Amino acid sequence: MAAVRMLSAACLLLGFAPFLVHGVPPIWTQPEQVHLSYAGVPGSMVVTWTTFNKTESTVEYGLLGGRMFELIAKGSSTLFVDSGKEKRKMFIHRVTIIGLKPAATYVYHCGSDEGWSDVFSFTALNDSSSFSPRFALYGDLGNENPQSLSRLQKDTQMGMYDVILHIGDFAYDMHEDNARIGDEFMRQIQSIAAYVPYMTCPGNHESAYNFSNYRNRFSMPGQTESLWYSWDLGSAHIISFSTEVYFFLEFGLELIFKQYEWLKKDLEEANRPENRAVRPWIITMGHRPMYCSDDDQDDCTKFHSFVRLGRNDTKPPAPGLEDLFYRYGVDLELWAHEHTYERLWPVYGDKVGFCVFNSQHCPHLPSYLSDMQSHFFVLFFLVGIQWKCRSTICEPQGSSTHYHRLCWLQGKDRQVPTKP
């Protein structure tokens, strides 16, 4: 009788076994969404990745051709709780590798003894001011229909780029489906961003929950949660900033003033004679452009652009950025947002400069470039051109007119225009 009772109990347990198995959640210790960023310090690189359970944060790496994983760098993770209905949790891991040899190639993987990523490689950035880096830059790249993604993946595999600049608007949108869209987008770009530094700035599509997905998922230089920062590469000082502080005032009007003061100090430092002599180019990247020719009622279509001229409807009035960038001699401004490609002549105050570029009579005017949606493009710079102005549109005139590639972006020797 006792044997029958024991057999019945065993059968009962076996009957409930599938339910018991289904009730155990999976273990999420495998690293994913691996991406690199430049820490802003020569000889360094930041590796960022995600797990859905807490683990150690370790990168094992070594020189290509040497002993694999002979070097170890440790970091830490932070818990990110998405603000969607499910309150999904993930752990964002960050490890900063230091002491890298300029232009040397390293192999690495990241994770812990509970799970390691695939093996990736990267080339440490060259810290020479005569280095001619190669960029790919774009904005507004989504998880669905990312038309440029396969091209970028293939080009990265061919070693075409040193740095990627993503100028706002990711995934469309990272917070959607309780941040699962963000997860999948970060998986998509891993095939690019795990091999070259993926440098970013925020766009309007990152605004949900006070830009929380953007601020938590990326690891840019400085202590501003990747909202604004600067770094040096080759002969350029590159500044990334947030245009969105002018539009999402519910997250704090003070952000406009904090960013403005930071920009002013950064530009002052970049313009110290000893710094400008080494890095004569100052380049900015922000999501919403100051100027455009579209007819969609965006900020750039309005004469009183918030980004360009500031806001008079706040107390105190918020300063715009055009005068600041003009005063400190910004050379090139990179934008996104409009889903159209435009390349503008040097312009200030809604007017194009009438002069021969490279001439001492030419005022220092920035050039503007905004992107087409999700498309790779090559930058060109215009030199030796006399401008014939027609409203805000200019045409080059004269038989000597020519286009000159901005070769430092293409990895070749370039002709440096004389500074006004």
Side-chain angles (χ1 to χ4, degrees):
M1 193 70 178
V4 172
R5 285 197 296 270
M6 289 178 64
L7 182 61
S8 298
C11 290
L12 185 64
L13 286 171
L14 287 173
F16 278 101
F19 299 98
L20 294 173
V21 171
H22 289 164
V24 177
I27 301 300
W28 298 100
T29 57
Q30 187 62 33
E32 61 175 64
Q33 307 175 38
V34 181
H35 54 285
L36 301 173
S37 57
Y38 182 48
V41 179
S44 65
M45 193 73 73
V46 180
V47 185
T48 305
W49 69 94
T50 298
T51 61
F52 294 94
N53 286 117
K54 186 173 178 58
T55 68
E56 296 295 316
S57 306
T58 305
V59 173
E60 296 181 338
Y61 64 105
L63 284 165
L64 179 65
R67 290 180 56 192
M68 288 187 68
F69 310 144
E70 66 176 339
L71 302 171
I72 298 176
K74 296 280 189 177
S76 61
S77 66
T78 56
L79 174 64
F80 169 46
V81 182
D82 176 65
S83 297
K85 289 183 179 180
E86 295 181 19
K87 299 295 185 287
R88 290 179 67 239
K89 298 179 181 180
M90 62 192 77
F91 292 88
I92 310 296
H93 301 257
R94 293 177 174 87
V95 174
T96 301
I97 306 174
I98 60 174
L100 299 172
K101 298 179 180 179
T105 299
Y106 292 82
V107 293
Y108 75 99
H109 68 177
C110 59
S112 69
D113 288 339
E114 297 181 73
W116 293 100
S117 70
D118 290 338
V119 177
F120 305 107
S121 64
F122 67 84
T123 299
L125 292 182
N126 192 328
D127 58 7
S128 170
S129 61
S130 61
F131 169 53
S132 298
R134 301 161 300 171
F135 292 79
L137 46 146
Y138 50 85
D140 307 77
L141 183 67
N143 159 250
E144 183 180 356
N145 193 29
Q147 295 184 21
S148 299
L149 185 63
S150 61
R151 167 72 181 272
L152 289 162
Q153 291 167 333
K154 184 175 180 179
D155 288 353
T156 300
Q157 292 165 2
M158 294 171 64
M160 287 183 60
Y161 308 127
D162 298 301
V163 176
I164 303 291
L165 305 181
H166 189 148
I167 310 175
D169 280 8
F170 305 79
Y172 285 96
D173 293 335
M174 286 195 288
H175 72 282
E176 293 285 354
D177 193 13
N178 294 279
R180 290 185 179 89
I181 297 298
D183 290 336
E184 184 56 31
F185 177 79
M186 299 304 292
R187 296 184 191 110
Q188 285 176 292
I189 66 168
Q190 176 178 281
S191 55
I192 305 165
Y195 297 92
V196 295
Y198 201 89
M199 309 302 286
T200 64
C201 72
N204 55 298
H205 278 269
E206 284 69 73
S207 64
Y209 316 127
N210 193 7
F211 297 82
S212 63
N213 269 268
Y214 174 83
R215 291 187 290 108
N216 281 276
R217 291 180 185 270
F218 293 105
S219 309
M220 298 300 112
Q223 304 297 320
T224 62
E225 297 183 302
S226 304
L227 295 176
W228 55 81
Y229 61 93
S230 66
W231 52 300
D232 296 328
L233 187 62
S235 59
H237 180 68
I238 303 172
I239 300 171
S240 175
F241 66 96
S242 173
T243 57
E244 303 315 298
V245 297
Y246 287 92
F247 300 93
F248 295 97
L249 302 185
E250 63 268 31
F251 301 134
L253 174 63
E254 70 276 4
L255 290 175
I256 298 178
F257 297 94
K258 286 182 179 179
Q259 176 175 257
Y260 186 89
E261 289 304 314
W262 178 89
L263 284 167
K264 183 179 178 182
K265 291 179 180 178
D266 189 81
L267 286 164
E268 286 175 348
E269 183 66 21
N271 272 278
R272 290 170 65 93
E274 61 271 26
N275 293 333
R276 196 91 197 222
V278 175
R279 290 187 169 85
W281 292 96
I282 297 179
I283 298 174
T284 64
M285 54 184 271
H287 185 62
R288 302 196 204 203
M290 294 184 189
Y291 294 99
C292 67
S293 64
D294 292 342
D295 188 22
D296 55 10
Q297 302 306 305
D298 275 349
D299 184 64
C300 56
T301 67
K302 302 170 183 176
F303 179 77
H304 200 287
S305 155
F306 287 163
V307 177
R308 187 165 70 88
L309 298 179
R311 298 191 62 147
N312 292 322
D313 58 346
T314 61
K315 293 182 179 180
L321 299 177
E322 184 176 43
D323 283 346
L324 182 70
F325 288 177
Y326 176 76
R327 187 184 318 138
Y328 289 101
V330 171
D331 298 285
L332 184 66
E333 301 178 7
L334 307 174
W335 311 95
H337 187 63
E338 286 303 304
H339 298 194
T340 55
Y341 174 76
E342 292 191 70
R343 191 168 66 237
L344 279 67
W345 310 130
V347 62
Y348 170 70
D350 206 40
K351 296 179 181 179
V352 176
F354 184 79
C355 60
V356 178
F357 195 81
N358 247 358
S359 166
Q360 293 184 357
H361 300 291
C362 182
H364 188 94
L365 302 177
S367 293
Y368 296 81
L369 190 70
S370 58
D371 80 322
M372 64 172 72
Q373 182 181 18
S374 307
H375 280 267
F376 162 79
F377 53 82
V378 178
L379 290 180
F380 289 84
F381 204 67
L382 299 162
V383 299
I385 294 177
Q386 185 172 358
W387 311 122
K388 177 182 178 183
C389 300
R390 184 182 69 231
S391 182
T392 58
I393 301 173
C394 270
E395 300 172 342
Q397 65 179 21
S399 59
S400 63
T401 296
H402 65 281
Y403 288 96
H404 177 74
R405 185 174 293 185
L406 182 53
C407 293
W408 70 271
L409 290 176
Q410 295 301 305
K412 302 177 183 177
D413 293 335
R414 71 179 179 92
Q415 299 173 7
V416 182
T418 304
K419 288 292 173 182

